[in-house]
Amino acid sequence: MRSNIVTESGLPTRLGQWWESIPFLTSAIVIVCGSIYLACLFVGYDSFSEICFLPSAVISHFQLYRIFTSVVFHGSLLHVFFNMLALVPLGSELERIMGSVRLMHVIVILATSNALFHLFIALLIAHNPFRPYEYLMNECAIGFSGVLFSMIVMETSLSGVQSRSVFGLFNVPAKWYAWILLVVFQLLMKNVSLLGHLCGILSGFAYTYGLFNYILPGSSFYSTIESSSLLSTCVRRPKLILCTGGNLSGYIPTHTSPNTSPSSLSGNLWRNLSSWIPGRETTTVQSAQDSRFPGRGRTLLSSDNQAPSALSSDSSLQARLLDPNHLLETTVNSTANQIPDGRYLSKLN
C-alpha cells in the first residue's frame, strides 16, 4: 500500500504562479525597464547624461524626451531590481483598483508632474535672489523611484491604515510614511536624488487632493479606449484589468463631474488639507428612518446621543469611492513591503 506523499511545488512553479498573479501593465513595466537595463549592459551603454532628467538640458535645449527616458532607464542592477521589486506590490494593487489603461494614463501624468515640480524647484533654488545655488540644475536624476514615491502616497491614502512599518523596525503614522522614507533613504544611501523623491511625493499628494481632476477624463473615456480595435489583442489577455470591470473598488474618485464648480473643488481641497491638522475629535449624529419602524433607533447599553461612525453608515465601498467629495479611503490591505531604491544621481562637470 502506497503511503500518501505530500510534495511542495518547485521554485519554477512558484515563480510562474507569482508572475501570473501580476496584472498586465505592472508586468509590462517590469519587462520594459528590465529589458532596457539588460540591453544597455550588453552594448556597454552608460551615457546616462544623455537620457537622465537634467534641468539645465531641458531648459537650454528643450529636451522634453528626458521626462520619460529618465523614468525607464536605471543606473545599476540593484537600482532596477529594487525599483521593480517595489513596483510589483504597489502597481498590482493600484492596477486592480483603477484598471490597466487608467493606471497607464496616471503614470504618464505622474512622470510629467514630477518633472515639472523638479524643474520648478531647481530653477527657484538656482535663481533665488538671496543665495543662488546652481548645483540642482546640473543633477542627473534617473530611475522609476520618483513615480514609486507618488504611488506610495496614493496607496497609503487608499488603504486607510493609521500606521505603517518602516522596514519592520518601527511604525510611523501613515500620513508621514512617505516623508519618513524620504529621510531614511537620504541618510542611509548615497547618490540618492532628494529632489526626485520629493517631487514624487508632491505629485502623489497633488493627485490624492484632486489637483489633476481637470485633466483626468471620466470612466467612459477609458472604456472607449479599451473597446477600440487597437487594443483588442491586449484586452483579450486575462491579466489586463478593465476600468469598467466588476470590481467594486474599481474606481478612485479623481474625476470631477461636469456640474462641479472650481469653488467646490477648492472647498474639497481645503477639507482634505485641514484633515491633516490635529483638531478636536467630533462625532456626527446620523439617524435613519424606516417606514416600517417609525421613530429613532436605539442601541442596547448605549446613551441617546451616541452616534455611529460616518464610515460605517456608507452603503457600500463603491459608493464611498465614487463620491469625489470624500477623502480617498478603502479597505485595501497593502502588500508594499519593499521600498523603492533611490534615483540615480550624478554630478556633471
Side-chain angles (χ1 to χ4, degrees), residues 16-299:
Q17 293 175 349
W18 172 77
W19 180 254
E20 288 300 322
S21 66
I22 303 175
F24 177 79
L25 178 63
T26 304
S27 58
I29 295 176
V30 172
I31 292 175
V32 169
C33 292
S35 301
I36 289 177
Y37 176 77
L38 292 178
C40 294
L41 189 64
F42 289 149
V43 301
Y45 180 82
D46 58 356
S47 300
F48 297 121
S49 60
E50 298 177 356
I51 47 87
C52 67
F53 187 79
L54 191 62
S56 59
V58 174
I59 293 296
S60 59
H61 302 291
F62 204 64
Q63 297 176 348
L64 298 181
Y65 65 88
R66 293 176 179 269
I67 295 176
F68 303 105
T69 56
S70 62
V71 173
V72 295
F73 280 81
H74 291 79
S76 66
L77 178 60
L78 290 178
H79 191 196
V80 65
F81 176 76
F82 284 112
N83 274 357
M84 296 302 103
L85 196 62
L87 171 67
V88 169
L90 282 172
S92 299
E93 193 71 35
L94 292 176
E95 186 171 356
R96 293 188 183 101
I97 294 174
M98 305 172 67
S100 302
V101 176
R102 183 174 187 174
L103 180 60
M104 182 63 195
H105 184 209
V106 170
I107 289 177
V108 172
I109 293 177
L110 292 175
T112 305
S113 62
N114 288 353
L116 294 178
F117 278 128
H118 194 143
L119 190 62
F120 174 76
I121 296 176
L123 286 172
L124 187 64
I125 296 178
H127 300 287
N128 72 87
F130 305 102
R131 187 177 178 181
Y133 193 62
E134 296 286 345
Y135 174 75
L136 292 179
M137 293 296 296
N138 295 319
E139 279 188 351
C140 186
I142 190 173
F144 201 81
S145 55
V147 177
L148 286 175
F149 266 84
S150 301
M151 297 172 73
I152 288 175
V153 174
M154 295 166 56
E155 195 276 335
T156 302
S157 298
L158 283 170
S159 64
V161 296
Q162 299 299 321
S163 64
R164 280 290 174 87
S165 175
V166 179
F167 304 120
L169 300 177
F170 56 91
N171 292 333
V172 297
K175 61 183 179 181
W176 300 111
Y177 180 61
W179 301 104
I180 297 297
L181 289 181
L182 177 69
V183 175
V184 169
F185 279 117
Q186 198 65 30
L187 294 177
L188 298 182
M189 305 179 67
K190 62 180 181 179
N191 291 335
V192 174
S193 176
L194 173 64
L195 187 55
H197 291 172
L198 173 63
C199 294
I201 294 176
L202 295 178
S203 296
F205 280 116
Y207 182 88
T208 56
Y209 288 158
L211 298 183
F212 298 150
N213 286 356
Y214 291 110
I215 59 177
L216 285 173
S219 299
S220 59
F221 172 80
Y222 301 108
S223 301
T224 303
I225 295 179
E226 292 167 351
S227 61
S228 64
S229 58
L230 297 177
L231 293 182
S232 58
T233 303
C234 296
V235 170
R236 286 196 296 265
R237 298 182 62 87
K239 297 177 64 174
L240 189 137
I241 300 177
L242 300 179
C243 180
T244 56
N247 187 2
L248 291 179
S249 59
Y251 302 90
I252 295 181
T254 55
H255 175 64
T256 305
S257 61
N259 297 327
T260 303
S261 62
S263 59
S264 62
L265 179 62
S266 60
N268 296 334
L269 176 60
W270 170 247
R271 285 194 294 270
N272 290 337
L273 289 173
S274 61
S275 65
W276 291 71
I277 303 175
R280 185 173 58 185
E281 197 173 305
T282 58
T283 58
T284 304
V285 177
Q286 295 182 356
S287 60
Q289 294 289 343
D290 195 329
S291 58
R292 297 173 299 174
F293 305 100
R296 295 182 58 186
R298 295 173 181 244
T299 303

Side-chain angles (χ1 to χ4, degrees), residues 5-19:
I5 301 176
V6 179
T7 60
E8 295 183 358
S9 57
L11 181 60
T13 303
R14 294 180 182 180
L15 289 177
Q17 293 175 349
W18 172 77
W19 180 254

